Amino acid sequence: MNQRIQLASLDDQRNAEARETVRQRISWPANLTPANVTYHSRGHALLLGSERDTRQAARILQGRGLASLTLLFTAPNAADVDQEVTDSDLLAATEILTTQALTRGQAEKLHISGHLGMFKAMLDGDEPLDLARALIQREAFDLILDLNTTPRLPVELPPPGYVVMQWQNVEQRSDILDDFVGLVGEFDKPRYFQVNSDLCAHSTSGNIGCTRCLDVCPADAISSIKGRIESHIEIDPFLCQGVGSCTSACPTGAIEFRLPETRRQQDTLSAWLSAYREAGGQAPVLRFITHDSQDAERAAGVVPAGHVIDAPLEELGAAGHDQWLTALASGAAEVRIQLHPNMPARLSAFLTDQVAQAHALLSALGHDCARVKLIDIADSAGRDALPSLTPLTETPLSLPEPEKRARLNRVLARLAELGNPSGERVAVPAGAAYGAIQVDSDACTLCHACVSNCPTPALKSGGKTPALSFLEADCVQCGLCEQACPENAITLMPGFLASNARETRYICHEEAAFECISCGKPFATVSTVATIKQKLANHPYFAGDAMIRLEMCEDCRVKDVWKTMIRDPDAQLKV
């Protein structure tokens, strides 16, 4: 299954023709009419930085279509800087503009939030000051030019309308300012995502579980919103910039990327590989690349080798290890992820983690980790290199299930069939959604709080029989069961089990049912009744002979209370 490829047997022209056949026969999926969000910018701009830098920028921006320019001095002027224009000339050119100098203490309290058309600049304190209302009598600023050495909005991927530049960078100064003045008007942007809260493993019963989407978003567009009892995930569509790492990190499919939909993208990969083989292509390599990088290569006249099939993405985060493994299970010899310049740090870290997860799973299932690799910027040799191994299969892969986890499990099952699984539990990177649970039978009372809190079908009750069952293939290691257990009887066991046992449901704990002493109906477990009797031993409602009520079902317990009240009407007043 990991046979070395015979290089002399490959025909690049034949592969290129097969690739062209694929492109003509099957289009990459795209939403033709995606939902949009609209920005409205009237051109009221806020400039942040030292007085000299902001005045120089304002002098160039004047008269170029911006509704207003407000200068906020948040840093001291740099010493010994070659001045393009004298300070007196700058003051004369910008004296009509609204300006405000902040002390160092005030600058540290400056808080900026929002997006194009709706930026809030607040001075935090006992009485917060809204600078837009105070300086220009408006609800918000429309756009911001940040000239500080360290941007005042500490986000890896700033929101639309927040432009960061270093004034000393003369080469880029003109282009950045030209783009800045163009941010006036009405702008539409796709709503990149769809959220299904019913599938989300973030929170339940007041406990916080999965936070993977929060951890990987470089735009800080995702928030955990605290409700009266539970928290829920919200994505700000105005801050979201379509990186897609949230949907790849989400283990349940609660967040789904829409350009294109994850399922359609996955199905297309399999269809492409099948069509490539039918057209006579050999040893296909799937390369995940952004649209921008692909356009740049075409503009430069770069044509990848014939065996390289490009899967274009809005951003590399839109495909994670589940998509890459789908390609291998569908007949790709290798998967390559083409890196590009100016990637946010969290996206780079996310891709590195996803590759580590893919390598861990491939190794556990008996495959060579070299089948998934990152390709550095401008590494043309790595991009076009022939794969060192033959494809694992030539049989198409069908994924009929709509659920993300079920589709991933089918991919892993196919890779297990094609490999030599270790049969052991192997370590995976921290935070990976693979693992089991350990249940302390002595502590578990089968209250099933874990079942009601589990966001997937991993945990189930025994139905009419007091039992707790577990299916590891569905466990995403969110930890909600561990937190919900009142007896602290559950412990997470991270790791990928490379065995058929992973897809077999088994009983974690079971007990005999406790039968009502009055009617004989089973209504709880023996341990549950014993625990409740112990905890309520000193409760006045169950004092004396009334303790036997805890050994009755709910119906018989009510009847016994009424019988007691009939015999002694004042009994309830004694409780």
Side-chain angles (χ1 to χ4, degrees), residues 337-361:
I337 302 95
Q338 182 69 62
L339 303 180
H340 62 83
N342 304 318
M343 290 175 56
R346 263 191 279 188
L347 175 57
S348 297
F350 170 75
L351 291 174
T352 300
D353 177 74
Q354 289 290 295
V355 170
Q357 290 193 44
H359 286 174
L361 297 178

Side-chain angles (χ1 to χ4, degrees), residues 73 183 248:
F73 309 141
L183 295 174
S248 295

